[in-house]
């Protein structure tokens, strides 16, 4: 630990350059682990296989309809 306190890190973009390189590498490695191993996506965007509010949608047509609705809602939110 480079004797670096949280209060030593400036706000804004300057804070990114104040974080040690090893710390940034740890953050990027964790994000890569989550993206590639922990929550691997299926053929559908946003389908991580964890179900829909605790229940899994078994019917492929219903699942495709719900995933398309979620995708369209995300697109509408970006507008």
């Amino acid at each position: 630990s480079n004797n670096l306190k949280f209060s030593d890190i400036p706000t804004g973009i300057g804070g990114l350059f104040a974080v040690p390189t090893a710390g940034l590498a740890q953050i990027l490695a964790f994000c890569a682990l989550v993206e590639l191993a922990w929550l691997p996506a299926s053929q559908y965007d946003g389908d991580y296989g964890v179900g829909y509010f605790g229940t899994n949608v078994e019917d492929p047509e219903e699942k495709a309809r719900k995933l398309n609705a979620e995708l369209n809602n995300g697109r509408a939110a970006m507008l």
Side-chain angles (χ1 to χ4, degrees):
S1 97
N2 297 330
N3 262 346
L4 188 64
K5 298 181 196 139
F6 188 76
S7 59
D8 295 337
I9 304 294
T11 59
I13 194 73
L16 183 64
F17 299 110
V19 176
T21 307
L24 289 176
Q26 288 176 354
I27 292 169
L28 291 175
F30 177 74
C31 291
L33 173 73
V34 169
E35 286 290 328
L36 298 174
W38 191 2
L39 292 175
S42 67
Q43 65 183 4
Y44 297 109
D45 292 333
D47 181 17
Y48 296 107
V50 293
Y52 180 71
F53 290 116
T55 61
N56 197 6
V57 179
E58 299 295 333
D59 183 24
E61 289 181 17
E62 180 184 4
K63 186 174 190 173
R65 184 182 61 79
K66 287 185 177 190
L67 288 172
N68 284 331
E70 182 67 25
L71 185 62
N72 288 332
N73 287 338
R75 288 177 179 154
M78 287 188 273
L79 293 176

